[in-house]
Amino acid sequence: MSTLTQTLVHTTALQRFVHAVVASLRTTAAAWQRLHRQRAAMRALEALDDRTLADIGFARCEIGSVAAELIGASPATRRQVMRA
């Protein structure tokens, strides 16, 4: 194998590695952002009293799943049921 061929092979392998690392970092950053948004939504909902939560249409025990639906981490089943 010539030196040029070896250099190209190493460069291609390095590029694939760098792309994989960047993709992994993007995935991690997106997951962290979703988690941060979900926690912020949960804190906001937890600050409401039980009467206000009931007026909105759910109980305190549902805060986690409502927050997940709000940020898109789980299917929005409540909106589908409420529309029907």
Side-chain angles (χ1 to χ4, degrees):
M1 207 183 285
S2 70
T3 305
L4 178 60
T5 305
Q6 289 176 341
T7 303
L8 290 175
V9 168
H10 290 298
T11 301
T12 305
L14 180 60
Q15 287 173 339
R16 282 194 302 255
F17 174 74
V18 169
H19 287 295
V21 169
V22 168
S24 178
L25 288 173
R26 285 182 179 154
T27 302
T28 302
W32 184 86
Q33 287 175 341
R34 278 192 307 274
L35 179 63
H36 182 70
R37 285 194 311 266
Q38 184 173 358
R39 287 182 178 171
M42 287 180 65
R43 281 192 302 273
L45 291 170
E46 287 169 349
L48 300 174
D49 62 7
D50 290 337
R51 173 75 184 234
T52 305
L53 290 172
D55 287 345
I56 295 171
F58 57 89
R60 186 164 297 281
C61 63
E62 296 176 290
I63 287 177
S65 63
V66 169
E69 286 181 25
L70 286 173
I71 67 157
S74 67
T77 56
R78 279 179 186 74
R79 286 186 284 184
Q80 292 172 357
V81 169
M82 294 172 92
R83 287 182 189 160

